[in-house]
Amino acid sequence: MLNEEIAAILAELLPEIHNQADGSRLSAEELLLHIEHPAASKHGDYSTNIALQLAKLLKRSPLSIANEMKDRLAVHPAMKTLFVRIEVAPPGFINLFVNWEQWAARELGVPASAASASGGDSVKAIIEHTSINPNKSAHIGHLRNSCIGDTLARMLKRTGCRVEVHNYIDDLGNQLADTMVGLLQTSTDGEFARFGDFCWETYAKINKAYKENPELLKERTAVLHELEKGNSNMAWLGLVVAERIVKEHLEEMGRFGIHYDVLVWESSIIREGFWTQAFELLRKTSVFRQETEGKLAGCWVLRQPGSQGGLDHPEDPNGPGNGSSLNSPGSLSGRNDPIGCAGQEERNAAGDGQADFQADKVLVRSNGILTYTAKDIAYHLWKFGVLGKDFRYRKFADRLWSTSREGVRKGIGRADLVINVIDHRQEYPQTMVKQALAALGFAKQAEQLRHVSYGVVHLSPDTARGLGLDTSDGRSSYPMSGRQGIGIKVADILHRMEQVIDSKRSRKAGISSLAVAAASIRYYLLRFHLQTEVVFDLEQATEVTGNTGVYLLYSYARAWSILEKSGVEAVAAGEPLAWNRLEDQEHSLLRHIAYWPETLHEAVRELAPHQICSYLHELSTLFNHFYAVCPILKADSAKKSFRLWLTGQFRETMQDGLEILGLPAPKGM
């Protein structure tokens, strides 16, 4: 990549500049060498502010240092080949102008990820995403999580990582128990396309019934105990419900190109004794102990530096709790509803809440009940392959394995890097897992545990109003609530978007409206910065112009059509004359194409899919400007050859980016 080559050459020149100073040494790392892409082409194709950083150290003006570095760069063999001009601009920037003919002659691919393991072996990354409770249909908030996780997997695979995608299934939690109680205690009539839609209504009804008749909560407790036992009629019914819902979730996500390698069921973690093993390891550390007095008496806690032994949640530590019993193989509630908060639906919607990071974390309550974080610690010890235990697996679907009581051993897990895609409300429990890993002596693994945090999806006032919510309070957004049956189901938004796409297409040949609709929704959920709370608006989400997935697909199809009409299978880069007289639109498109490997590298480093969305949208815009201003098929011979080559480079780059985003690359629209 050009930016890395420039940085390496600058680092090579640093000692020569230093020798003229006071004899002190400064490394390239200390300088934080940064190579920029200037917004205006008159400032070059690349730029660096290294002279500004050196000025204070060398006690010289930045312009003087920049001019000296310019002279040294001008005679460097690699720089002479790669760049046609080097300029200095006040107050001390060094601007570099690429020799595009030389650039085009080089093999420019996207290198392997910087996270590659030593010895030349690629890193193995486990990415956990989706992790929806198996109790009802998925909604648009779940889909944002899945799109982010799937795109991260594609990004890492593209840059050389071995990736294993996990989907955690909480089959022992409150939410599944609630749905089962609802199936037994409520009545839901009507036509439903899927079982999950029926359960969506049932889940809302039972939560309403709990408020009207709190005695029904005893039924939930009874069901949870039956799920814990694992062999009763109720447990088998729970398994049937959960598996049916999971299959529907997989089918829904599959329409968006989202797939998994492994389903990890919470019941498997408990029944395989993972926590028992983790507990014994934690007991040998100084940060894990059983309290003997105060509100936490009898609880096993993960101590925080400087804490006063305070409770990390307002709930009674000796109360009903959630999780599984230390002395039994089952669970009294789910990983995704750790403290029994009525408004928390799944791991991706709550976790242990935004508790005080300085408070001690209860892992085992005084009644022997595990919190969600305790199970997560055991799960992550297994992910990194340091627990000394393993699952058995059975086939759940084509190319999809599931943990199981009976099955075969597989080389699953044992990751170098673990990435958990969970919304920002899980920051605290994720931090606790990292702390536990470090306390157990697995500091390297703790460093390689990455929490990809993101903002949740709320509804716009118009969309909320359309679902029957009271919006008279004038709020800017409204949360979805499974307990109230409020939300946009994934299947519903996909169907609506398909209708919008179909109504706006003059031609129906080629890619289906369903595929375009799925791409549009996926891009809509990916293009926001991860920390942005997405205020989902039905009208905005179904737009097909502007910064949309449809715009990208049309741009790609246009390039394909041009090349197809040219009748030329392989296009050369053009004659030298074409390089010497680049139009502004040609130059802008060319330099942006050159930035693609660097953009992908940075997006992988930051684990930021939205950066790729921004890049592809700008690339499409630049191509369409180029197409509008520069004739391609009707240009003279030299220009035609060059412009067809440039169109081909655009198409290849777009295809690469679309595949990483999980979008189709259609030959026609």
Side-chain angles (χ1 to χ4, degrees), residues 100-147:
W100 291 111
E101 188 175 7
Q102 289 295 323
W103 174 85
R106 291 164 41 129
E107 285 281 335
L108 288 181
V110 178
S113 171
S116 58
S118 61
D121 295 330
S122 63
V123 162
K124 179 176 182 181
I126 287 178
I127 297 180
E128 181 195 334
H129 67 80
T130 303
S131 302
I132 309 170
N133 282 320
N135 71 317
K136 57 180 171 44
S137 293
H139 60 60
I140 196 71
H142 300 132
L143 185 59
R144 186 183 192 203
N145 176 294
S146 302
C147 289

Side-chain angles (χ1 to χ4, degrees), residues 528-559:
F528 296 98
H529 188 285
L530 285 178
Q531 297 308 311
T532 300
E533 176 190 288
V534 176
V535 180
F536 187 84
D537 184 88
L538 272 172
E539 293 304 316
Q540 184 185 71
T542 53
E543 290 175 354
V544 296
T545 58
N547 187 7
T548 65
V550 174
Y551 179 69
L552 268 58
L553 301 191
Y554 268 113
S555 300
Y556 177 84
R558 168 174 283 169

Side-chain angles (χ1 to χ4, degrees), residues 255-256 489-502 513-514 517-518 521 542:
R255 294 192 182 102
F256 294 86
K489 300 185 189 75
V490 171
D492 290 347
I493 183 59
L494 182 59
H495 176 66
R496 175 159 180 165
M497 188 66 184
E498 182 184 14
Q499 291 179 319
V500 171
I501 296 294
D502 205 55
S513 294
L514 180 64
I521 296 168
T542 53

Side-chain angles (χ1 to χ4, degrees), residues 7 44 95 113 134 137-138 327-328 343 350 362 370 375 406 410 426 434 495 506 535 620 641:
N95 300 330
S113 171
S137 293
N327 300 313
S328 70
V362 175
L370 301 185
K375 290 174 281 184
E406 303 293 333
K410 299 281 293 181
Q426 276 276 356
K434 288 174 73 77
H495 176 66
S506 58
V535 180
S620 296
S641 177

Side-chain angles (χ1 to χ4, degrees), residues 30 57 106 140 142 160 174 194 197 204 224 232 277 280 282 350 352 410 434 505 517 573 578 601 642 645:
E30 289 176 285
L57 174 71
R106 291 164 41 129
I140 196 71
H142 300 132
N174 284 342
R194 297 165 305 158
D197 295 345
L224 286 169
S232 66
Q277 187 79 16
E280 293 303 319
L282 282 166
D352 284 41
K410 299 281 293 181
K434 288 174 73 77
R505 295 181 72 183
H601 178 88
F642 169 74
W645 172 84

Side-chain angles (χ1 to χ4, degrees), residues 19 46 110 143 155 161 224 252 269 325 408 442 474 550 556 571 584 621:
N19 288 340
Y46 291 89
V110 178
L143 185 59
M155 288 163 58
C161 283
L224 286 169
E252 287 176 333
I269 292 176
S325 169
V408 299
F442 302 117
V550 174
Y556 177 84
V571 183
D584 289 344
T621 301

Side-chain angles (χ1 to χ4, degrees), residues 269 272-279 281 377-391 440 442:
I269 292 176
E272 291 291 339
F274 283 14
W275 167 249
T276 301
Q277 187 79 16
F279 179 79
L281 293 173
I377 290 170
Y379 181 29
H380 282 81
L381 287 170
W382 170 80
K383 283 183 178 180
F384 282 112
V386 296
L387 192 60
K389 299 181 74 67
D390 210 344
F391 294 113
L440 289 168
F442 302 117

